[in-house]
Each structure stands twice: as C-alpha cells, then as structure tokens.
Amino acid sequence: MQTVTVALGERSYAMHIGQDVLDEVGTVLGQLSVTKKALVVTQPAIAAAYGERVLHSLRSEGFTAEAFEVLDAEDAKSLSWLERIYDRAVELRLDRRSPIIALGGGVVGDLAGFAAATFMRGVPFIQVPTTLLAQVDSSIGGKTAVNHRRGKNLIGAFYQPRVVLIDVDTLQTLSPRELRSGLAEVVKYGVIAKPDLFELLEANTTEGLLHDAALLTRVIRDCCQIKADVVAADEHETGIRAILTFGHTFGHAIEAAGGFSTYTHGEAVSIGMVWATDLSQRMGLCHPELLIRTKRLLESLGLPIALNGRIEGIRDAIFLDKKAVAGRLRFILVEDLGQVSIRDDAPSQLVDEIIEEGLSARSLSKEEVPIRAT
Ligand SMILES: NC(=O)c1ccc[n+]([C@@H]2O[C@H](COP(=O)([O-])OP(=O)(O)OC[C@H]3O[C@@H](n4cnc5c(N)ncnc54)[C@H](O)[C@@H]3O)[C@@H](O)[C@H]2O)c1
Ligand SMILES: [Zn+2]
C-alpha cells in the first residue's frame, strides 16, 4: 500500500492506495476520533459489488454501519437526494462525530461530501473512490457540491475528507468508457507536471495497466501526489490550483454544448487538451511535435481527439464559463511536458479558429502520425 499526504496543517489527511484497501476501512476509521456509527453513501451497482466488504470491515471494528443507496446518475447530485441523506442520518441518530463514507465515483463523493460538510455543521467525511476519475481527481482536494437546475456544482463547499482509501482493484469492474474517461485526467497530470507519467502511458496499453496492480497503484499514486501538492499550495483555487484545469476551458464548453450527454467529462477534456495544446503551438509556446504526441497518446487510449460531429454553442459556452474573468479567457497553456502556465492573453481570434476548425475536424489520419524514433 502506498500513502500520499495532503498537507493542510491541522486538516492534513492521508490517501492510502493499493489492493484490498476495502477490507481496511474499519481499521483505518477505528484510528480516527469518530463515533462508531457510520453511514455509507453509495449507488446500487457499487453496493452490490463492494458494499458488503466495506460494511463487514466496519462492523468487525465495532461500528454500526449502514449503506444508503442514491440514484445512479448525475441527478443524484441534487438537493432532494441531499435531503434524503439528512433524513436517514437523523433517523439513525448520527452525531457530530459519526462518519459519512462515500463509496463510489465522483457523483457519490460530491453528494456525500456536501452532506458531511453540512450535516450538524460538519461531520467526519471519508472518501472510498471507486472510479478512476474519483481516485485521481474528485476525491482529493475537498470540493463538494450538488447541482442546481440552472447549473452544475452551483451549491457546495470546500470540505476536506479525513482520509481517502483507494482500492485499485475496484477498477476491474468499471466500464471501459468510464475507465477511459479517468485516463484523460491521468494524461493531464503527465502534461502539467510529470513527463515520465506521460511516457509510462505511451509505453503501456490500458489492458496492461489494468492487469498490473503495482503499476496501476504507482500511476494513481503519482496523480494523487500531484493533486495533493497543488491543493496544499492553493486549497481554494486562487492561483496555482488552476493548472489542474488544463484542457478544461475547452473541455467544459464541449461538455456543456453537448448537453452533458454526447461526451463524458474525460472525453470532452481529451479534445480540450488537444485544442489547448494546439492553441499553445499556434502561440509559438510549444513545438508542434508535442501536439502530435499528445494526440497519438490520447487516441491510443481510446479517447477522442476531435469532435465526432458538429455541436453548436461551444464558443458561447466558453465565454459563459465561470473561469472567464472580465471577458478574458483563462487557459492553461503548455510549453513542454511538465511545463504549463496560466494565461489570459490567448488571442480570441486563435481561439475562434481552433473552435471553427474543430467543428469541421476529423481524426488524425494514420499518415499524419509520425513513427516515433527509438
Ligand atoms: N469534487 C471534485 O473535485 C470533482 C472533480 C471532477 C469531477 N467531479 C464530479 O464527479 C462526477 C463524475 O464522477 P465519475 O466520473 O466518477 O462518475 P460517476 O460517479 O457517475 O460514476 C460513473 C459510473 O460508474 C459507476 N461505478 C462507480 N464505480 C464503479 C466500479 N468500481 N465498478 C463499476 N461501476 C462503478 C457508477 O455507479 C456510475 O454509474 C461529476 O458530477 C463531476 O462534477 C468532482
Ligand atoms: Zn476533469
């Protein structure tokens, strides 16, 4: 098992990453100052696959533990599902030190996290992420939220978990599409901070990675370490934390313009990273080879590198994005692997060009993909 620490003074916490971590939930919680009554927020399929193991682990450490299943969809991040969690917590007479445990992906984590942040003004929160996206991204850093009908994540709080427990074996049951979606974030970490992670992905197939628990643990640990360091430096995203949004200015707009159903978050971010690298290249910041290499890696992971059809509203969505400050768009631009900067001086004409070309783009043809020198 590998451990990464998120250094936030008194609120510091550990992330434990490895195999059979689900069986350690009770032991780890037993070492925290919590009362022995736990509520596990999860979803039906996750409960069926892993719920018993987590509940058994908790009960064998003397916890009274119960699973509460929420809707298996983004719509679970709503005030009505939040209220149902509060109702159950009240019925079970949870107290101010009773832990709420999120067992699931980012939806469960965001919802359960906000419930934990607000129930009795804050109860101990534990993340047990089971999607790759949640393991490398959403379970770290304390962003919790539910959606408002007018917008995603509009109601939320920064609330750090007490501990994050990552069992890499849970990824074996994840759908290939969800796995790929998480891999887009892994590529992102490679670009923004860790060239050797990027190279490791270039050198291994997804299948190979999935079937090598030690390698998978290392990859997830590396991502967690990067996010942990960035969060420790800038918890509330007033500065450097923005580098984690590489590919997301375009990505969020693609996701929103597609009505959040055409592309998964990771797929939209994949195209967004291609466009952000293209923008960097057109601004003369990086070598064109980096764009080719990035496209080749994303494509080899099964991620889209171009839109698969015309969708309207990308440009409007970009300017509506909450990250557009005073009409100026903020982009994370790349100079080389591991070297990015936060910029608000990208010429809007270039941004328009990239979107316009993207709308009529096609995937990189085989002839365009250069053979890599050995
Ligand atoms: N808080 C943050 O910092 C942050 C960061 C990024 C994304 N998010 C949020 O995360 C959410 C997306 O999270 P996600 O991509 O994990 O999706 P998700 O939580 O919807 O999970 C995807 C699907 O996989 C299923 N699933 C989860 N684990 C499984 C497993 N081990 N085996 C089989 N099926 C499994 C889920 O039931 C669901 O159907 C969005 O709401 C987004 O806003 C939050
Ligand atoms: Zn993301």
Side-chain angles (χ1 to χ4, degrees), residues 20 30 58 76 82 145 149 156 164 193 196 240 273 297 300 349 373-374:
D20 300 322
L58 285 162
L82 186 66
R149 64 183 176 283
V164 182
D196 59 355
I240 186 75
M273 290 191 288
L297 174 60
S300 76
Q349 181 210 338
T374 47

Side-chain angles (χ1 to χ4, degrees), residues 137 185 248 265 269:
D137 188 358
E185 302 287 351
H248 284 61
H265 175 71
V269 167

Side-chain angles (χ1 to χ4, degrees), residues 108-127:
V108 166
D110 281 10
L111 170 67
F114 189 57
T118 46
F119 186 65
M120 295 195 166
R121 300 192 187 87
V123 297
F125 177 46
I126 318 304
Q127 287 268 23

Side-chain angles (χ1 to χ4, degrees), residues 43 72 74 77 105-107 110 130-131 138 143 152 170 173:
Q43 286 168 330
D72 186 347
E74 176 73 24
K77 281 175 55 174
V107 164
D110 281 10
T130 61
T131 63
S138 63
K143 282 190 185 174
K152 244 172 91 71
T170 58
T173 55

Side-chain angles (χ1 to χ4, degrees), residues 55-96:
L55 292 176
H56 176 77
S57 164
L58 285 162
R59 287 170 186 155
S60 52
E61 289 297 319
F63 282 87
T64 317
E66 177 181 304
F68 183 77
E69 294 176 12
V70 302
L71 186 73
D72 186 347
E74 176 73 24
D75 286 351
K77 281 175 55 174
S78 66
L79 289 174
S80 70
W81 277 102
L82 186 66
E83 189 170 16
R84 286 181 233 190
I85 297 176
Y86 295 143
D87 289 348
R88 196 67 198 125
V90 172
E91 281 158 18
L92 292 171
R93 296 175 184 276
L94 297 193
D95 64 45
R96 291 191 56 197

Side-chain angles (χ1 to χ4, degrees), residues 133 137 185 188 244-246 248 252 265-266 269:
L133 178 121
D137 188 358
E185 302 287 351
K188 175 190 82 179
L244 298 171
T245 63
F246 173 64
H248 284 61
H252 281 150
H265 175 71
V269 167

Side-chain angles (χ1 to χ4, degrees), residues 4 6 13 15 17 77 104-107 109-110 125 127-144 152-153 158-161 164 166 171 178-179 181-189 192 197 219-231 235 237 241-248 252 255 265-266 269 273 323:
V4 168
V6 186
Y13 54 95
M15 316 187 56
I17 308 144
K77 281 175 55 174
V107 164
D110 281 10
F125 177 46
Q127 287 268 23
V128 187
T130 61
T131 63
L132 183 57
L133 178 121
Q135 295 184 351
V136 300
D137 188 358
S138 63
S139 67
I140 320 154
K143 282 190 185 174
T144 72
K152 244 172 91 71
N153 298 328
F158 278 97
Y159 193 66
Q160 301 293 342
V164 182
I166 299 178
L171 299 181
E178 294 297 345
L179 188 73
S181 194
L183 282 169
E185 302 287 351
V186 180
V187 172
K188 175 190 82 179
Y189 288 117
I192 64 171
L197 179 59
V219 164
I220 294 170
R221 188 225 30 217
D222 283 352
C223 297
C224 291
Q225 185 70 60
I226 296 166
K227 180 143 185 191
D229 291 346
V230 172
V231 166
E235 185 180 4
E237 200 171 326
R241 186 163 174 172
I243 67 166
L244 298 171
T245 63
F246 173 64
H248 284 61
H252 281 150
E255 221 183 340
H265 175 71
V269 167
M273 290 191 288
K323 289 181 181 69

